């Protein structure tokens, strides 16, 4: 049986939930740190982070803090940081006996930054995975402690890949903790020449240009699903595209052909799933049963 360690956990997003749940089972999580409750939704109601929701329900000690660097940390063996959203000082990172580690959703040094999963799909990466790294002064630039790949799945959305990577991260975090405690962990410096940046995305990044190749548009649609979502208008009906793929063929860019495919600057775009405003995601063939998607109709991007 693995030695139980005293763990501090810092996280805000749902990406850290699978690992936190396992840490609670395998080790002693002495305190959880997360971002403060923030206004969300149409009513701007104060809403806790997914990590805070879990901690409260499980009756775990949780501190909502806008600045972890100002918090007095209890004695612990390690600090695990996942999707926290704050820069942590080296003083805080070095406080636990074994230091601090961060689970990042890319195979670093590729896709450093806030949106690694989106950018991996936008780039068409077929080799994807997680990295556990040491915290460093520069974002996501610390030495690599362990990495793990996940299988490539065609036409996967960011939402789906997010969940798979979150689950896959559990084992490499636990193995890294074991290695650090045993003194067998190996730290490898990142190759700076291979580093790429994965900055935050906005709704403007979801604007579609049907003069571009279909393969790029499909990546854009899948990568920006579920948020911010690429939106279109066909015959006066607006919807959000959920999943798409590129197929061979020619047609006028932005017009629907007789097979329901959309012409682009190169090849054809096949919409696999979409969500009408106010409705649920559905396959295109089901959507067309009750809504217009006529041959020769122009598809208008909604920005």
């Amino acid at each position: 049986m693995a030695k139980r360690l005293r763990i501090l956990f810092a996280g805000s997003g749902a990406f850290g939930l699978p690992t936190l749940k396992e840490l609670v089972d395998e080790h002693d999580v002495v305190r959880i740190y997360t971002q403060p409750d923030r206004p969300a939704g149409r009513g701007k109601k104060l809403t806790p982070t997914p990590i805070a929701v879990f901690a409260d329900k499980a009756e775990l000690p949780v501190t909502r803090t806008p600045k972890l660097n100002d918090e007095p940390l209890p004695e612990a063996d390690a600090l695990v940081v996942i999707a926290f959203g704050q820069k942590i000082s080296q003083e805080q990172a070095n406080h636990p006996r074994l230091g601090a580690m961060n689970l990042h959703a890319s195979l670093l040094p590729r896709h450093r930054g806030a949106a690694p999963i989106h950018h991996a799909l936008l780039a068409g990466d077929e080799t994807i995975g997680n990295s556990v790294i040491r915290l460093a002064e520069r974002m996501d630039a610390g030495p690599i402690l362990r990495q793990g790949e996940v299988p490539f799945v065609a036409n996967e959305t960011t939402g789906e890949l997010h969940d798979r990577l979150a689950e896959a991260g559990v084992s490499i975090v636990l193995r890294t903790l074991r290695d650090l405690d045993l003194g067998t962990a190996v730290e490898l410096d990142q190759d700076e020449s291979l580093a790429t940046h994965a900055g935050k995305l906005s709704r403007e990044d979801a604007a579609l240009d049907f003069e571009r190749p279909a393969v790029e548009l499909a990546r854009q649609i899948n990568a920006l699903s579920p948020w911010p979502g690429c939106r279109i208008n066909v015959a006066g009906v607006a919807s959000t595209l959920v999943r798409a793929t590129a197929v061979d063929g020619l047609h006028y860019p932005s017009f629907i052909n007789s097979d329901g495919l959309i012409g682009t600057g190169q090849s054809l775009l096949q919409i696999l799933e979409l969500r009408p405003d106010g409705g649920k995601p559905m396959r295109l063939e089901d959507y067309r049963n009750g809504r217009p998607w006529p041959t020769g109709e122009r598809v208008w991007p909604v920005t």
Side-chain angles (χ1 to χ4, degrees):
M1 183 175 179
K3 176 182 174 182
R4 293 185 71 88
L5 301 175
R6 288 173 57 84
I7 303 295
L8 304 176
F9 183 90
S12 299
F15 189 72
L17 279 175
T19 298
L20 176 57
K21 291 175 181 178
E22 196 67 24
L23 287 173
V24 169
D25 289 340
E26 298 290 330
H27 297 285
D28 298 321
V29 178
V30 295
R31 182 149 293 274
I32 296 167
Y33 299 91
T34 192
Q35 297 271 34
D37 298 358
R38 296 229 166 92
R42 292 182 179 179
K44 299 299 180 182
K45 180 181 177 182
L46 280 179
T47 303
T49 69
I51 295 298
V53 171
F54 168 76
D56 288 340
K57 186 175 182 180
E59 298 183 340
L60 297 168
V62 57
T63 298
R64 294 161 165 84
T65 176
K67 194 173 182 181
L68 178 62
N69 291 336
D70 290 343
E71 299 290 336
L73 301 183
E75 292 302 310
D77 293 303
L79 168 61
V80 177
V81 182
I82 307 177
F84 182 42
Q86 294 182 27
K87 183 174 176 57
I88 298 175
S89 69
Q90 286 301 300
E91 180 181 2
Q92 294 290 72
N94 294 333
H95 175 80
R97 178 175 65 89
L98 301 173
M101 68 177 72
N102 171 234
L103 175 66
H104 183 76
S106 81
L107 295 174
L108 293 168
R110 190 159 176 78
H111 305 311
R112 293 176 180 174
I117 301 175
H118 297 83
H119 283 273
L121 293 182
L122 283 170
D125 290 0
E126 293 191 7
T127 303
I128 47 182
N130 291 307
S131 300
V132 176
I133 60 172
R134 286 289 194 186
L135 296 185
E137 286 295 330
R138 290 186 299 125
M139 180 181 288
D140 304 327
I144 296 171
L145 291 162
R146 186 177 290 275
Q147 292 184 313
E149 294 184 11
V150 299
F152 172 77
V153 175
N155 306 323
E156 189 170 35
T157 68
T158 282
E160 292 164 340
L161 180 54
H162 169 282
D163 293 348
R164 286 205 300 130
L165 287 171
E167 292 292 342
V170 175
S171 62
I172 62 173
V173 168
L174 292 178
R175 291 166 68 185
T176 301
L177 283 171
R178 179 201 62 193
D179 291 347
L180 287 171
D181 187 51
L182 292 175
T184 58
V186 177
E187 302 187 20
L188 300 176
D189 289 336
Q190 296 185 38
D191 185 343
E192 292 295 324
S193 68
L194 300 177
T196 64
H197 181 62
K200 290 183 179 180
L201 297 170
S202 67
R203 295 191 185 279
E204 285 71 30
D205 294 300
L208 295 171
D209 177 3
F210 290 102
E211 295 292 339
R212 293 171 55 208
V215 65
E216 294 181 7
L217 293 171
R219 289 174 183 170
Q220 182 182 7
I221 291 163
N222 299 337
L224 302 186
S225 176
W227 190 91
C230 297
R231 290 173 50 74
I232 60 170
N233 186 302
V234 176
V237 180
S239 60
T240 300
L241 303 179
V242 175
R243 192 189 316 275
T245 191
V247 297
D248 292 336
L250 297 174
H251 195 61
Y252 300 111
S254 78
F255 286 89
I256 299 171
N257 73 4
S258 59
D259 295 319
L261 307 177
I262 304 171
T264 73
Q266 182 181 321
S267 301
L268 295 164
L269 182 68
Q270 181 179 7
I271 305 303
L272 301 173
E273 294 178 53
L274 71 170
R275 177 176 57 79
D277 286 1
K280 297 181 178 179
M282 62 180 67
R283 298 180 304 170
L284 178 61
E285 50 264 43
D286 296 329
Y287 175 94
R288 295 180 73 184
N289 286 334
R291 296 173 180 84
W293 192 272
T295 299
E297 187 74 26
R298 183 166 187 173
V299 179
W300 297 94
V302 176
T303 57

